[in-house]
Amino acid sequence: MMDITEYIRDFDCEPEDEYDDALAFALKKWIADMINSIPENGVYAAAVCFQMSLDEKDRWQADASFAYNTEDYLAAHRDGNPEAKWNHCAWKEDYFANADDSEAVRGCVKMWLQFKDFDVEDEEFDEEEVVYSFFGCAVKAVRELKRDGIFLERFGKDIPVLMLWGLEYPEENALFSAAANDISLLDRDFFEMCGCRFPK
């Protein structure tokens, strides 16, 4: 199992430029809107999910979505599924909303890709570079929301916001999630699901 302790310590979510600043600002507003739109109480975790995908015309696009789960849903559905707590595919809302639903966020993501020179049509396009840059902005947004107290105000406690790349659980998900949250909100099962040891 991989030890990501040093990677967490060295993770930098400071914007490189005004385009990162604009994306972090848009994501912060979008995540806040999502948190305040959740109709249930008892939410114990949420997630920002991101992947690059092909549209119906085989053009690359960025796809960001929001997910959450409740303690009641977990209690009723965890039997026989040891990953039910952290695997967002088993959550009550694994696709609660898409960033494209917000015109402002959709436009901001497209502009960010364009002005950062992430040319998805280039044969040397590096998806991992885009992912690290996107989650740097998302981590910054979540950290600021936690500092502002939005989760405490809405749920009466802090909750972890997972940062999930694609449908699998690579080590990067553990790194991004640990960077965005107080590590005490996550547990050994989450890190092991991502192929990592619990950070020191």
Side-chain angles (χ1 to χ4, degrees):
M1 292 240 175
M2 183 175 181
D3 184 352
I4 60 170
T5 303
E6 288 187 20
Y7 293 99
I8 296 168
R9 192 177 304 122
D10 295 339
F11 186 80
D12 182 11
C13 69
E14 284 306 305
E16 291 182 357
D17 50 42
E18 64 270 29
Y19 310 118
D20 285 349
D21 261 332
L23 180 60
F25 181 82
L27 290 173
K28 181 179 176 182
K29 183 179 185 319
W30 177 63
I31 295 167
D33 288 346
M34 294 305 97
I35 290 297
N36 288 317
S37 298
I38 295 174
E40 296 96 348
N41 293 318
V43 173
Y44 72 84
V48 172
C49 312
F50 180 81
Q51 61 186 350
M52 298 299 297
S53 61
L54 294 171
D55 66 14
E56 65 280 354
K57 295 182 180 177
D58 287 334
R59 294 174 303 197
W60 280 100
Q61 62 181 358
D63 183 44
S65 61
F66 185 85
Y68 72 87
N69 203 15
T70 66
E71 292 165 354
D72 287 346
Y73 191 86
L74 176 63
H77 294 86
R78 77 181 316 157
D79 286 350
N81 185 356
E83 295 184 349
K85 182 177 182 180
W86 298 118
N87 185 342
H88 84 289
C89 293
W91 285 5
K92 179 177 179 60
E93 294 288 351
D94 64 330
Y95 204 84
F96 180 62
N98 190 288
D100 276 358
D101 297 337
S102 166
E103 187 175 332
V105 181
R106 179 177 65 243
C108 189
V109 171
K110 286 183 177 177
M111 286 178 57
W112 173 77
L113 284 168
Q114 177 183 349
F115 288 115
K116 294 287 286 187
D117 288 326
F118 292 136
D119 183 359
V120 294
E121 301 302 328
D122 190 327
E123 61 184 39
E124 295 184 9
F125 171 68
D126 184 355
E127 181 180 0
E128 190 169 299
E129 182 183 1
V130 176
V131 166
Y132 269 82
S133 188
F134 174 87
F135 279 115
C137 297
V139 165
K140 177 177 173 57
V142 169
R143 284 181 179 178
E144 290 183 0
L145 288 169
K146 285 176 176 275
R147 185 196 63 214
D148 295 346
I150 186 174
F151 299 98
L152 186 62
E153 181 180 325
R154 173 63 185 83
F155 303 118
K157 62 181 180 181
D158 193 8
I159 65 167
V161 181
L162 306 184
M163 302 278 137
L164 305 179
W165 172 19
L167 298 176
E168 301 299 327
Y169 277 75
E171 292 92 347
E172 284 86 356
N173 289 353
L175 168 60
F176 302 143
S177 297
N181 299 280
D182 184 322
I183 292 179
S184 67
L185 296 173
L186 302 166
D187 62 20
R188 191 171 306 280
D189 289 343
F190 171 72
F191 287 100
E192 287 182 359
M193 193 170 76
C194 297
C196 302
R197 292 195 291 273
F198 192 87
K200 298 171 186 171

